[in-house]
Amino acid sequence: MKTNQLPPAIDRLISAAADLLLGASCPGCGTPGWAVCQNCLALLPDGARRVRRPALPGLPDAMVCGTYTEPLSRLLISHKDEGSWQLAGLLGALLARAVAGLGAGPGVVLVPVPSDRAAVRRRGYDHARALAGVAGRELGLAVRPVLGRGRAASDQVGRNRLARLDAQAGTMDAEPGSLAVVVVDDIITTGSTAAEACRALRASGHRVTGLAAICETPRWGESGE
Ligand SMILES: [Zn+2]
């Protein structure tokens, strides 16, 4: 049986085993080693701050740990697309710090922005749910994945932020309820995905108290932290 005929989860396990046998490297910088190297750990953001990009309509108070620059960007890609599931602990702890920065109290639940279903099937892993789970455990908050994706967003290439918000509108739905919610995601880019998540939650009766993500993409001309 060829490897590419295996289910994605098994395929990833085989890749991980091969890494162990053939040599591993830091997912942040590629230096040989068994985990994220000390250099990369030292370069990770050590606090939480409010997002710097201008707010989109409908977005609540929003906190991130830092900017989407290396090595954090490499770690996020490695976790999301390259099967480095062991990074969920490190990245989920960063997400927890952003949630804590909102001052989210007891009774608040974390709701992950839903990943694209086809992407989850391809990867065999729902990275957003995994990160929310780690952050929830760390803070003693429940995680409720009540958001789902309905129709696909139309093509975002070449659209400005407001046009992207329009393209996202109506793409998500939420189970009805009256939860006090912090929406969590890994990266805030334009904010249009998070804004759609907030819209869907409010439309189903929930109260959105904040948005937390590990990082936001740099604004144009911004060189990083
Ligand atoms: Zn490194």
Side-chain angles (χ1 to χ4, degrees):
M1 191 179 191
K2 285 184 190 166
T3 315
N4 62 10
Q5 291 172 327
L6 292 169
I10 303 295
D11 198 25
R12 299 276 192 215
L13 282 176
I14 289 173
S15 301
D19 263 353
L20 286 175
L21 292 171
L22 302 174
S25 59
C26 167
C29 67
T31 304
W34 296 101
V36 180
C37 73
Q38 291 302 318
N39 233 354
C40 285
L41 286 176
L43 289 169
L44 292 180
D46 57 4
R49 60 168 170 81
R50 293 212 143 60
V51 296
R52 291 183 179 147
R53 63 187 61 256
L56 277 176
L59 272 190
D61 193 14
M63 296 287 290
V64 291
C65 284
T67 307
Y68 187 70
T69 51
E70 292 189 356
L72 181 55
S73 54
R74 282 291 327 149
L75 297 180
L76 283 161
I77 291 166
S78 189
H79 176 248
K80 187 178 200 164
D81 290 323
E82 295 165 7
S84 296
W85 300 344
Q86 77 279 10
L87 294 177
L90 175 70
L91 297 173
L94 291 176
L95 180 60
R97 205 189 297 149
V99 175
L102 289 166
V108 166
V109 303
L110 306 184
V111 175
V113 167
S115 305
D116 175 65
R117 277 186 297 235
V120 170
R121 268 199 304 277
R122 193 174 61 244
R123 298 174 185 134
Y125 181 67
D126 188 334
H127 72 286
R129 232 189 246 208
L131 295 175
V134 172
R137 277 194 295 282
E138 189 142 315
L139 298 169
L141 299 175
V143 177
R144 295 282 303 277
V146 295
L147 278 171
R149 283 192 191 262
R151 68 174 175 80
S154 45
D155 191 357
Q156 296 210 344
V157 176
R159 289 165 170 267
N160 67 25
R161 289 168 73 239
L162 285 174
R164 286 189 200 184
L165 181 62
D166 278 342
Q168 290 279 343
T171 58
M172 290 183 206
D173 42 49
E175 293 168 23
S178 54
L179 301 169
V181 166
V182 169
V183 175
V184 292
D185 205 354
D186 54 352
I187 307 165
I188 297 175
T189 49
T190 62
S192 61
T193 305
E196 167 59 10
C198 294
R199 183 208 59 76
L201 286 162
R202 291 185 185 118
S204 297
H206 304 289
R207 185 165 59 86
V208 179
T209 66
L211 165 67
I214 294 169
C215 56
E216 63 179 329
T217 48
R219 290 179 305 173
W220 191 81
E222 189 181 40
S223 57
E225 292 291 71

